[in-house]
Amino acid sequence: MSVNNKIAPAQAAGTELKCTYKVGESEVTLTPGTVKKYLVSGRSELVSAQEIVMFINLCKYQHLNPFLREAYLIKYGENDPAQMVVGKSAFEARADRDERYQGYKAGVVVQRADKSIEYRPGTLVIPGETLVGGWCDVYVNGYKEPVHASVSLAEYNTGKSVWKSKPGTMIRKVAKAQALREAFPNAFSGMYVAEELGGSDEELPTQPVTQTDQPEVVQEEQPPQKKEETVIDVEPVEDVLDGSQFLI
C-alpha cells in the first residue's frame, strides 16, 4: 500500500497534529498523542513517530476505527518493527459488504499416513496424520473459478502460545486472509491479520477503547523573543553660569 505519511499540520500554536476521517456515519479523529496513549498494544514508549503516522494513515486509507478494535498497533521489542493488524471482525465485515462476495470454504492441508495429501475442510487432524498447511477458496460473483490460497504451516508457525495449541485453526486463518486479499485487492490493501505476523487475534483486546481524559497536547516550539532595548532621549541643558553643556 502506498500512502502519504503526513498528518495535517497544526492550525495554531498549542494544538496537536491530527487526522479526522469518516468511518460509516461516524467521525474518527486520531492524533499521535491519542494513538500512543490509548491504541498501542504492548510497550507504547517504544513506538516511533513514523510508526504512529503509518498506523494513522492505514486507518484513514482503509476507513478503520481503532477505538472499536478494527485495527491494532502492536510493539513489544525495542529492535522489532511495530505490527499493524486488522481485527478479525473488521476483516470479515469488509468482505460481507462487497456485493460480489459469495462466501468461502477453508480448511487444513494434511499428510496422511500413506504420504498422500488431502485438502480437508475444517481443522481436524487425526493421530498418524501431519498438518502441513491451510487453504481457502473465496467465491466471487462473475468469476469462473474461486480465488484459491494455500499456505505452508512451516512458513508461519511460531510454535508458541496459540500457534502451539491450535496450529490448524491458526493456519486456516492465514489462508482465509490471503484469499480475501487476492479476491478483493482494493478493499484489503495493506490489511493483515495477526496470524500472518506470528500472533493471534485471540490474544488481542476486544473491548472498545474509551478516552478517559484529554490526550496530550504537543506544543509547537516558539522562537525566542528578542528583548527590546529602551532608549531615553535626554535634552542638553545649558549651565546658567558659564554656558557649558551637560547631560542630566
Side-chain angles (χ1 to χ4, degrees), residues 200-213:
S200 169
D201 61 4
E202 297 181 22
E203 298 175 329
L204 295 174
T206 57
Q207 193 73 15
V209 177
T210 301
Q211 298 183 51
T212 56
D213 52 16

Side-chain angles (χ1 to χ4, degrees), residues 73-183:
L73 179 59
I74 307 168
K75 188 158 188 174
Y76 291 103
E78 186 173 1
N79 298 321
D80 299 326
Q83 296 179 348
M84 302 171 200
V85 302
V86 177
K88 176 185 176 183
S89 59
F91 221 85
E92 294 176 344
R94 180 151 301 202
D96 289 336
R97 288 196 296 267
D98 195 305
E99 296 180 353
R100 299 172 299 158
Y101 180 56
Q102 301 292 306
Y104 73 96
K105 292 181 180 179
V108 293
V109 183
V110 298
Q111 185 179 54
R112 300 192 188 100
D114 62 2
K115 303 301 181 182
S116 62
I117 298 295
E118 178 186 356
Y119 284 71
R120 181 179 298 169
T123 61
L124 176 66
V125 180
I126 62 176
E129 296 179 332
T130 302
L131 175 66
V132 295
W135 66 274
C136 181
D137 288 335
V138 172
Y139 295 87
V140 182
N141 187 30
Y143 287 23
K144 292 183 178 180
E145 298 290 337
V147 177
H148 177 82
S150 297
V151 294
S152 168
L153 178 66
E155 186 176 349
Y156 292 93
N157 186 20
T158 64
K160 302 176 182 178
S161 189
V162 186
W163 275 98
K164 184 176 181 179
S165 60
K166 301 178 181 179
T169 298
M170 301 291 279
I171 199 63
R172 180 177 177 272
K173 290 180 181 179
V174 173
K176 180 181 176 183
Q178 290 201 5
L180 284 172
R181 202 161 45 243
E182 289 185 24

